[in-house]
Amino acid sequence: MRSFLAGLIAILMLALPAVAQTGAEEFTEKLDIGISTDEIAITSDFRGADLTIFGAIDGFAPDLLAQGKYNIVVALEGPKESATVRKKRRVFGIWVNTQSMTFELVPESYSLSSTRDIDAIAPANEMNNMGIGVSHMTLSPIGYIGDGSSVTEFRNAFRRLRETSGVYQRDPGGVQFISASLFKASVRLPADVPNGVHVVRAYLFRDGVFVAAKALPLRVIKTGLEATITEAAHKHPFFYGLFAVLLAVITGWAASVAFRRD
């Protein structure tokens, strides 16, 4: 009898992890978003614009919604490229680059809106794991970095430079609920928005826990003379460089003639 009870207890102990796993909470909420266009044409006189994203929460709990337990974060990420940050020092009266660090595949532009400050939406470690927000963006250095003591300094400098130039932006409160489960978000396209495929990402959090996400592509193209110049620079770099040199020589000669003193 005792051996039978011991065997039964052992079986129950082994089954506990499976029971705990099947009893884990499953979220019923889903997230849908939409934008008015999937392509934006940029002309030479473009000075930046706001892009509006509409969305809805499906399968929400009315009581949690009434208590303000749902939060939305919307980010517009530009194409990713490696970026180099350089540190200058004054050497014999001349400012020269003495150190540099390159970060692998970071967004060329990044605009974020949320129902409130993202650090109040979810724990910092979760935002770090998901790479949501400028402060939590993954910045992985390329190559040898020594003892790693300067990585934090270069990361902070990278974020500061991108935010100062306006290509990285954040807007706590930029996402607003317009009805029970419908919301709208406004993200900023900077004046020097890069060409290529951007991605609109929306994240849903319930009481500090990530629930669902949705992503849509947004294509940004340049049109007119600027597009022609950009295409020539990328497809025919030799002739583009030759033309630039000739144009500089002609411009310099014309200026010397125009302002020549007789």
Side-chain angles (χ1 to χ4, degrees):
M1 183 65 178
R2 289 183 178 178
S3 60
F4 172 76
L5 290 175
L8 181 61
I9 291 173
I11 293 173
L12 290 175
M13 292 297 293
L14 291 173
L16 278 177
V19 172
Q21 185 174 4
T22 56
E25 183 180 9
E26 294 184 1
F27 298 111
T28 60
E29 295 91 343
K30 303 296 181 182
L31 192 63
D32 290 319
I33 60 172
I35 50 180
S36 58
T37 179
D38 58 1
E39 183 175 286
I40 294 180
I42 304 299
T43 59
S44 57
D45 59 348
F46 181 74
R47 296 294 179 267
D50 291 318
L51 178 68
T52 301
I53 297 101
F54 291 94
I57 305 174
D58 296 328
F60 65 93
D63 55 336
L64 294 179
L65 187 65
Q67 297 171 28
K69 298 296 185 179
Y70 289 111
N71 282 286
I72 306 290
V73 179
V74 177
L76 176 62
E77 297 180 9
K80 292 186 177 182
E81 285 192 358
S82 297
T84 301
V85 179
R86 294 179 174 83
K87 185 176 183 179
K88 293 181 179 291
R89 288 185 182 273
R90 197 176 181 88
V91 179
F92 300 112
I94 302 174
W95 288 98
V96 296
N97 297 323
T98 56
Q99 288 180 287
S100 66
M101 185 173 294
T102 300
F103 296 107
E104 183 180 16
L105 297 180
V106 295
E108 293 186 70
S109 61
Y110 188 84
S111 180
L112 182 136
S113 291
S114 52
T115 47
R116 51 179 172 158
D117 191 282
I118 62 171
D119 291 328
I121 291 178
N125 61 339
E126 185 161 3
M127 292 300 187
N128 285 331
N129 292 335
M130 301 181 68
I132 301 175
V134 177
S135 301
H136 306 287
M137 185 181 296
T138 301
L139 298 176
S140 302
I142 299 176
Y144 177 74
I145 57 173
D147 59 3
S149 59
S150 60
V151 174
T152 300
E153 179 186 4
F154 276 94
R155 282 173 174 163
N156 292 337
F158 171 83
R159 294 185 178 105
R160 184 178 65 254
L161 290 171
R162 290 294 174 104
E163 289 189 296
T164 301
S165 64
V167 293
Y168 280 15
Q169 304 177 40
R170 64 183 93 184
D171 181 15
V175 179
Q176 299 178 344
F177 282 95
I178 55 179
S179 70
S181 62
L182 299 177
F183 64 88
K184 70 172 183 177
S186 180
V187 292
R188 184 70 179 169
L189 287 166
D192 52 349
V193 59
N195 269 4
V197 178
H198 298 234
V199 181
V200 178
R201 302 187 189 275
Y203 305 88
L204 172 64
F205 291 85
R206 188 179 81 179
D207 201 16
V209 179
F210 170 71
V211 175
K214 190 78 172 182
L216 289 176
L218 175 69
R219 188 164 176 258
V220 176
I221 59 172
K222 293 183 179 179
T223 60
L225 178 62
E226 186 175 355
T228 303
I229 294 175
T230 301
E231 183 178 1
H234 284 84
K235 292 186 176 181
H236 308 286
F238 175 77
F239 294 104
Y240 174 80
L242 182 62
F243 175 77
V245 171
L246 290 175
L247 182 62
V249 171
I250 293 173
T251 303
W253 174 80
S256 65
V257 172
F259 297 98
R260 182 175 56 190
R261 294 181 179 179
D262 296 330

